[in-house]
């Protein structure tokens, strides 16, 4: 009996009891012993029956699995570790993450997801050592082939591209941005909003750092036109911050600088790590608060 199965069963039972529902109220086509055994961690349950149980308890699968396995999924920790490493030049943390990916997660196929996660770590480590780091032509082609393998992107693809985009040649970066936005407009869930905005944000910064303001402006314009389908406030704030940064870089507008400062003062209260990250890239662009 796995600890995860036991925890899922206990969680299901606690939610059912909290809502004063009997097993017969929620079981659908499953038998009562099937649900009882699942709640006590004695046996697994089929996907269709499990979905029925959650639906009849007024709960989404997203909410249940966040509660059942909080903070332990690879991609969430992967993104957090990389952001921390970028802000604090934490090569040791990257090395530990690399070992975890190698030992704990499946994937033997060459240039598959596991290889791309390792390549992402390699890129961030290269950037920490040298802020002018770029992927080799071979590694850039590997990433492009992986991300172009199918038309639909999921959270893994968005995560890998968010990390690696700043280290790709501009033509490859722009082509993959097109592919990413095409998928985003076709297959969209709210979880993708922040991932896509973070990726576009990283790309705009990389283009500005390279002095390619023309491509950066084009990308921001596409972002303003294409991403506002979401009402996510974080996404909206990222777009607005980029817009103000472009305005300030164009004419050193005091008003734009004031707006940037207001946003960063807010982050200082609600998410100091986000403010720390913003301050680093703003400083690299020559925007001092």
């Amino acid at each position: 009996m796995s600890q995860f199965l036991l925890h899922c069963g206990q969680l299901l039972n606690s939610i059912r009891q909290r809502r004063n529902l009997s097993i017969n109220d929620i079981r659908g086509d499953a038998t009562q012993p099937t649900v009882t055994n699942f709640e006590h961690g004695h046996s697994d349950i089929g996907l269709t029956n499990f979905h029925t149980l959650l639906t009849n308890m007024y709960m989404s699968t997203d909410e249940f699995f966040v509660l059942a396995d909080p903070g332990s999924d690879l991609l969430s920790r992967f993104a957090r570790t990389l952001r921390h490493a970028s802000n604090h030049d934490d090569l040791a943390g990257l090395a530990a993450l690399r070992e975890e990916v190698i030992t704990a997660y499946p994937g033997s196929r060459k240039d598959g997801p596991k290889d791309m996660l390792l390549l992402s770590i390699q890129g961030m480590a290269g950037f920490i050592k040298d802020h002018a780091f770029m992927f080799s032509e071979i590694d850039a082609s590997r990433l492009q082939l992986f991300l172009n393998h199918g038309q639909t992107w999921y959270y893994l693809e968005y995560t890998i591209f968010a990390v690696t985009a700043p280290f790709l040649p501009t033509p490859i970066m722009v082509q993959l941005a097109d592919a990413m936005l095409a998928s985003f407009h076709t297959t969209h869930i709210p979880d993708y909003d922040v991932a896509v905005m973070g990726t576009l944000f990283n790309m705009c910064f990389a283009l500005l750092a390279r002095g390619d303001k023309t491509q950066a402006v084009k990308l921001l314009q596409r972002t303003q036109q294409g991403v506002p389908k979401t009402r996510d406030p974080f996404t909206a704030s990222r777009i607005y911050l980029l817009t103000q940064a472009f305005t300030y870089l164009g004419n050193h507008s005091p008003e734009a600088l004031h707006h940037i400062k207001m946003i960063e003062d807010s982050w200082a209260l609600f998410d100091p790590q986000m403010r720390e990250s913003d301050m680093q890239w703003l400083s690299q662009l020559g925007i001092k608060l």
Side-chain angles (χ1 to χ4, degrees):
M1 170 176 53
S2 73
Q3 285 300 115
F4 180 66
L5 177 62
L6 180 62
H7 184 51
C8 284
Q10 291 172 339
L11 178 61
L12 188 92
N13 178 267
S14 69
I15 296 166
R16 180 175 65 78
Q17 298 286 354
R18 164 68 177 80
R19 291 178 177 165
N20 197 27
L21 295 166
S22 70
I23 289 179
N24 282 333
D25 288 331
I26 69 168
R27 68 183 179 86
D29 292 333
T31 66
Q32 187 167 1
T34 296
V35 179
T36 299
N37 285 331
F38 178 68
E39 286 191 346
H40 290 85
H42 298 320
S43 64
D44 211 332
I45 195 166
L47 182 60
T48 301
N49 286 334
F50 180 66
H51 185 265
T52 299
L53 297 182
L54 292 183
T55 300
N56 289 340
M57 292 197 308
Y58 309 92
M59 175 162 283
S60 71
T61 52
D62 280 354
E63 182 183 7
F64 183 88
F65 282 115
V66 167
L67 294 170
D69 200 20
S72 66
D73 67 286
L74 170 65
L75 292 182
S76 295
R77 285 185 293 107
F78 186 85
R80 287 197 302 269
T81 301
L82 289 179
R83 187 169 79 172
H84 181 272
S86 175
N87 291 341
H88 300 281
D89 294 342
D90 186 7
L91 291 171
L94 289 179
L97 182 63
R98 182 178 184 277
E99 289 306 308
E100 180 183 359
V101 171
I102 289 173
T103 58
Y105 292 91
S108 59
R109 186 166 300 199
K110 180 174 172 53
D111 289 342
K114 188 170 186 174
D115 284 352
M116 295 302 105
L117 291 174
L118 294 174
L119 196 55
S120 301
I121 296 171
Q122 176 188 321
M124 184 57 69
F127 174 75
I128 289 172
K129 296 173 185 176
D130 177 7
H131 282 194
F133 172 82
M134 293 284 288
F135 281 120
S136 69
E137 185 177 339
I138 291 174
D139 286 343
S141 295
R142 290 170 62 203
L143 281 158
Q144 187 177 27
L145 285 171
F146 174 79
L147 292 171
N148 281 332
H149 183 70
Q151 292 184 340
T152 304
W153 290 39
Y154 303 102
Y155 200 75
L156 172 70
E157 287 74 24
Y158 290 124
T159 300
I160 289 172
F161 189 42
V163 176
T164 59
F167 317 132
L168 292 170
T170 299
I172 293 179
M173 182 199 295
V174 171
Q175 183 273 309
L176 289 173
D178 290 340
M180 178 186 72
L181 290 172
S183 176
F184 180 73
H185 292 134
T186 303
T187 305
H188 174 258
I189 62 173
D191 283 352
Y192 295 165
D193 293 344
V194 173
V196 169
M197 193 58 240
T199 305
L200 292 166
F201 194 81
N202 291 346
M203 283 191 288
C204 280
F205 167 69
L207 290 167
L208 283 174
R210 295 176 194 179
D212 193 345
K213 291 185 179 179
T214 301
Q215 281 287 1
V217 169
K218 286 181 180 177
L219 184 58
L220 179 60
Q221 288 172 339
R222 291 192 59 194
T223 302
Q224 291 171 312
Q225 294 165 3
V227 177
K229 64 180 291 182
T230 172
R231 296 183 180 180
D232 177 69
F234 175 85
T235 302
S237 76
R238 298 286 88 187
I239 294 174
Y240 185 72
L241 181 59
L242 277 175
T243 304
Q244 297 306 309
F246 275 84
T247 300
Y248 180 76
L249 290 170
N251 59 16
H252 287 80
S253 161
E255 184 179 5
L257 189 64
H258 176 66
H259 289 174
I260 293 170
K261 188 177 186 304
M262 287 178 60
I263 294 169
E264 295 310 322
D265 286 347
S266 297
W267 282 125
L269 294 173
F270 296 107
D271 191 340
Q273 283 193 340
M274 178 61 72
R275 183 181 189 275
E276 184 178 9
S277 177
D278 283 354
M279 294 296 284
Q280 285 200 358
W281 71 261
L282 286 167
S283 176
Q284 290 178 48
L285 293 177
I287 300 176
K288 306 290 186 181
L289 299 183

